[in-house]
Amino acid sequence: MKGAVLALLAALLALVAAPSHAHRISTRSGPPPEGISIASLLPAIRALASARLGFDLTTWRLEDYLNLHSFACLWGIVPGSVTDENSPFNECAHAYLAAGRALLLQLAHAPGANHKSIDALIGKIEVEMLADGASMNLCRYSEEPFNTNEMIWPHWGMIPFHPPTLAALGAIFALIVGPAVWLARRDEKAGGLQSS
Protein backbone atom coordinates (compact mmCIF):
# COMPACT_ATOMS: atom_id res chain seq x y z
CA MET A 1 0.00 0.00 0.00
CA LYS A 2 2.92 2.32 0.74
CA GLY A 3 4.13 1.90 -2.87
CA ALA A 4 0.67 2.86 -4.18
CA VAL A 5 0.67 6.06 -2.15
CA LEU A 6 4.16 6.94 -3.41
CA ALA A 7 3.08 6.32 -7.00
CA LEU A 8 0.04 8.53 -6.53
CA LEU A 9 2.18 11.33 -5.11
CA ALA A 10 4.68 10.99 -7.96
CA ALA A 11 1.88 11.21 -10.54
CA LEU A 12 0.46 14.32 -8.88
CA LEU A 13 3.89 15.96 -8.82
CA ALA A 14 4.37 15.15 -12.49
CA LEU A 15 1.06 16.81 -13.32
CA VAL A 16 1.92 19.91 -11.35
CA ALA A 17 5.34 20.18 -12.96
CA ALA A 18 4.07 19.59 -16.50
CA PRO A 19 4.01 22.72 -18.65
CA SER A 20 0.59 24.07 -19.53
CA HIS A 21 -0.15 25.90 -22.72
CA ALA A 22 -3.33 27.87 -23.14
CA HIS A 23 -2.26 29.03 -26.60
CA ARG A 24 0.64 27.05 -27.99
CA ILE A 25 3.31 28.53 -30.22
CA SER A 26 4.65 25.83 -32.50
CA THR A 27 7.61 25.52 -34.85
CA ARG A 28 5.70 23.18 -37.18
CA SER A 29 5.00 24.24 -40.76
CA GLY A 30 1.95 26.32 -41.56
CA PRO A 31 0.52 29.28 -39.72
CA PRO A 32 1.03 29.24 -35.96
CA PRO A 33 -2.00 29.00 -33.68
CA GLU A 34 -3.11 32.32 -32.27
CA GLY A 35 -1.93 33.35 -28.84
CA ILE A 36 1.11 33.30 -26.63
CA SER A 37 2.69 30.60 -24.53
CA ILE A 38 1.20 30.85 -21.07
CA ALA A 39 3.79 28.49 -19.61
CA SER A 40 6.54 31.07 -20.17
CA LEU A 41 4.38 33.99 -19.04
CA LEU A 42 3.00 33.15 -15.60
CA PRO A 43 6.23 31.72 -14.13
CA ALA A 44 8.06 34.84 -15.33
CA ILE A 45 5.50 37.09 -13.64
CA ARG A 46 5.68 35.01 -10.44
CA ALA A 47 9.50 35.26 -10.49
CA LEU A 48 9.34 39.04 -10.82
CA ALA A 49 6.83 39.24 -7.97
CA SER A 50 8.97 37.08 -5.68
CA ALA A 51 12.08 39.15 -6.46
CA ARG A 52 10.56 42.44 -5.34
CA LEU A 53 11.79 44.17 -2.23
CA GLY A 54 9.41 45.14 0.55
CA PHE A 55 5.76 44.27 1.08
CA ASP A 56 2.77 45.68 -0.77
CA LEU A 57 -0.70 44.41 0.16
CA THR A 58 -2.12 44.88 -3.35
CA THR A 59 0.73 42.97 -4.97
CA TRP A 60 0.42 40.21 -2.36
CA ARG A 61 -3.35 39.89 -2.93
CA LEU A 62 -2.93 39.73 -6.71
CA GLU A 63 -0.19 37.12 -6.38
CA ASP A 64 -2.35 35.10 -4.00
CA TYR A 65 -5.32 35.34 -6.37
CA LEU A 66 -3.15 34.18 -9.28
CA ASN A 67 -1.90 31.16 -7.31
CA LEU A 68 -5.36 30.19 -6.02
CA HIS A 69 -6.99 30.42 -9.43
CA SER A 70 -4.17 28.61 -11.15
CA PHE A 71 -4.78 25.77 -8.68
CA ALA A 72 -8.59 25.98 -9.03
CA CYS A 73 -8.23 25.71 -12.80
CA LEU A 74 -5.91 22.69 -12.54
CA TRP A 75 -2.86 24.70 -13.68
CA GLY A 76 -4.21 24.90 -17.22
CA ILE A 77 -3.60 21.20 -17.94
CA VAL A 78 -7.11 20.68 -19.32
CA PRO A 79 -6.87 21.24 -23.09
CA GLY A 80 -8.84 24.20 -24.40
CA SER A 81 -9.15 25.92 -21.02
CA VAL A 82 -8.54 29.31 -22.64
CA THR A 83 -9.17 28.68 -26.32
CA ASP A 84 -12.57 26.92 -26.04
CA GLU A 85 -15.37 29.16 -24.79
CA ASN A 86 -17.50 26.09 -24.11
CA SER A 87 -14.89 24.56 -21.81
CA PRO A 88 -15.97 24.27 -18.17
CA PHE A 89 -12.51 25.67 -17.34
CA ASN A 90 -12.68 28.75 -19.60
CA GLU A 91 -13.88 31.27 -17.03
CA CYS A 92 -11.48 30.17 -14.29
CA ALA A 93 -8.59 30.20 -16.80
CA HIS A 94 -9.44 33.78 -17.68
CA ALA A 95 -9.48 34.58 -13.96
CA TYR A 96 -5.88 33.50 -13.46
CA LEU A 97 -4.75 35.11 -16.72
CA ALA A 98 -6.41 38.36 -15.63
CA ALA A 99 -4.65 38.02 -12.27
CA GLY A 100 -1.31 37.52 -14.02
CA ARG A 101 -1.86 40.61 -16.14
CA ALA A 102 -2.98 42.69 -13.15
CA LEU A 103 0.00 41.49 -11.11
CA LEU A 104 2.42 42.39 -13.88
CA LEU A 105 0.89 45.87 -14.25
CA GLN A 106 0.98 46.32 -10.45
CA LEU A 107 4.64 45.34 -10.37
CA ALA A 108 5.38 47.89 -13.09
CA HIS A 109 4.50 50.64 -10.58
CA ALA A 110 5.58 48.94 -7.34
CA PRO A 111 8.54 50.38 -5.44
CA GLY A 112 11.39 47.92 -5.00
CA ALA A 113 10.55 45.95 -8.16
CA ASN A 114 12.97 45.29 -11.01
CA HIS A 115 11.37 47.73 -13.45
CA LYS A 116 13.83 47.00 -16.26
CA SER A 117 12.91 43.28 -16.24
CA ILE A 118 9.21 44.07 -15.87
CA ASP A 119 9.26 46.47 -18.83
CA ALA A 120 11.15 43.88 -20.89
CA LEU A 121 8.54 41.19 -20.12
CA ILE A 122 5.65 43.55 -20.90
CA GLY A 123 7.32 44.44 -24.21
CA LYS A 124 7.89 40.78 -25.06
CA ILE A 125 4.25 39.92 -24.34
CA GLU A 126 2.97 42.83 -26.45
CA VAL A 127 5.21 41.91 -29.40
CA GLU A 128 4.20 38.22 -29.29
CA MET A 129 0.50 39.04 -29.01
CA LEU A 130 0.65 41.48 -31.94
CA ALA A 131 2.67 39.04 -34.06
CA ASP A 132 0.13 36.27 -33.44
CA GLY A 133 -2.93 38.51 -33.70
CA ALA A 134 -3.91 37.50 -30.17
CA SER A 135 -4.46 41.10 -29.06
CA MET A 136 -7.57 41.24 -31.22
CA ASN A 137 -9.10 37.96 -30.02
CA LEU A 138 -11.73 38.24 -27.33
CA CYS A 139 -14.15 35.74 -25.89
CA ARG A 140 -17.05 36.10 -23.50
CA TYR A 141 -14.77 36.13 -20.44
CA SER A 142 -12.03 38.38 -21.88
CA GLU A 143 -13.70 41.55 -20.70
CA GLU A 144 -15.18 40.13 -17.48
CA PRO A 145 -14.03 41.96 -14.36
CA PHE A 146 -12.58 39.72 -11.66
CA ASN A 147 -12.27 40.48 -7.95
CA THR A 148 -9.69 39.07 -5.53
CA ASN A 149 -12.51 38.40 -3.04
CA GLU A 150 -14.27 36.02 -5.44
CA MET A 151 -13.14 32.51 -6.38
CA ILE A 152 -13.96 31.41 -9.91
CA TRP A 153 -14.18 27.63 -10.04
CA PRO A 154 -14.58 25.49 -13.14
CA HIS A 155 -18.19 24.79 -14.08
CA TRP A 156 -18.07 21.19 -12.86
CA GLY A 157 -21.62 20.42 -13.99
CA MET A 158 -20.65 21.10 -17.61
CA ILE A 159 -17.90 18.46 -17.71
CA PRO A 160 -20.14 15.52 -18.78
CA PHE A 161 -21.36 17.64 -21.70
CA HIS A 162 -17.92 18.74 -22.91
CA PRO A 163 -16.18 15.71 -24.49
CA PRO A 164 -12.63 17.21 -24.66
CA THR A 165 -12.66 18.03 -20.94
CA LEU A 166 -14.22 14.68 -20.04
CA ALA A 167 -11.56 12.84 -22.06
CA ALA A 168 -8.71 14.91 -20.55
CA LEU A 169 -9.88 14.40 -16.97
CA GLY A 170 -10.45 10.70 -17.65
CA ALA A 171 -6.88 10.40 -18.95
CA ILE A 172 -5.50 12.27 -15.94
CA PHE A 173 -7.49 10.02 -13.59
CA ALA A 174 -6.20 6.92 -15.38
CA LEU A 175 -2.61 8.20 -15.18
CA ILE A 176 -2.95 8.72 -11.44
CA VAL A 177 -5.05 5.74 -10.41
CA GLY A 178 -3.69 3.17 -12.89
CA PRO A 179 -0.12 3.04 -11.54
CA ALA A 180 -1.39 3.20 -7.95
CA VAL A 181 -3.67 0.18 -8.51
CA TRP A 182 -0.91 -1.71 -10.35
CA LEU A 183 1.57 -1.06 -7.52
CA ALA A 184 -0.96 -2.02 -4.86
CA ARG A 185 -1.66 -5.34 -6.64
CA ARG A 186 2.06 -5.94 -7.12
CA ASP A 187 2.67 -5.31 -3.40
CA GLU A 188 -0.20 -7.67 -2.49
CA LYS A 189 1.26 -10.41 -4.71
CA ALA A 190 4.75 -9.86 -3.30
CA GLY A 191 3.36 -10.00 0.25
CA GLY A 192 1.48 -13.22 -0.58
CA LEU A 193 4.60 -14.86 -1.99
CA GLN A 194 6.64 -13.99 1.09
CA SER A 195 4.06 -15.41 3.49
CA SER A 196 3.77 -18.76 1.68
Side-chain angles (χ1 to χ4, degrees):
M1 188 63 183
K2 182 179 178 183
V5 172
L6 290 175
L8 181 61
L9 288 174
L12 286 172
L13 286 173
L15 286 174
V16 172
S20 61
H21 299 282
H23 298 288
R24 187 171 298 231
I25 294 176
S26 175
T27 56
R28 62 185 161 85
S29 62
E34 296 176 352
I36 59 171
S37 173
I38 300 304
S40 66
L41 172 64
L42 296 180
I45 294 171
R46 285 184 175 114
L48 289 169
S50 66
R52 73 187 185 280
L53 301 174
F55 178 78
D56 168 16
L57 184 60
T58 302
T59 303
W60 177 81
R61 288 186 74 173
L62 289 169
E63 190 174 9
D64 188 50
Y65 187 80
L66 171 62
N67 292 331
L68 285 172
H69 278 82
S70 181
F71 167 77
C73 206
L74 300 181
W75 304 279
I77 62 174
V78 178
S81 294
V82 173
T83 58
D84 184 356
E85 286 189 31
N86 296 317
S87 169
F89 289 82
N90 191 253
E91 185 179 19
C92 71
H94 278 78
Y96 77 75
L97 293 177
R101 179 181 183 275
L103 178 59
L104 185 58
L105 294 175
Q106 173 68 20
L107 289 170
H109 303 291
N114 183 343
H115 295 284
K116 185 176 179 181
S117 296
I118 293 166
D119 291 342
L121 181 58
I122 290 172
K124 178 184 176 191
I125 293 167
E126 288 174 348
V127 167
E128 286 186 23
M129 289 182 74
L130 286 172
D132 292 333
S135 62
M136 301 303 290
N137 294 332
L138 297 176
C139 79
R140 63 181 168 183
Y141 297 118
S142 294
E143 294 295 321
E144 181 178 324
F146 295 100
N147 187 308
T148 57
N149 288 329
E150 180 183 14
M151 278 297 288
I152 307 296
W153 293 96
H155 300 280
W156 299 110
M158 291 172 53
I159 291 174
F161 309 104
H162 191 256
T165 299
L166 192 60
L169 293 179
I172 292 167
F173 181 78
L175 284 172
I176 292 171
V177 174
V181 169
W182 179 79
L183 286 171
R185 288 186 178 166
R186 188 188 77 174
D187 289 348
E188 286 176 6
K189 287 181 183 177
L193 291 175
Q194 291 176 355
S195 62
S196 56

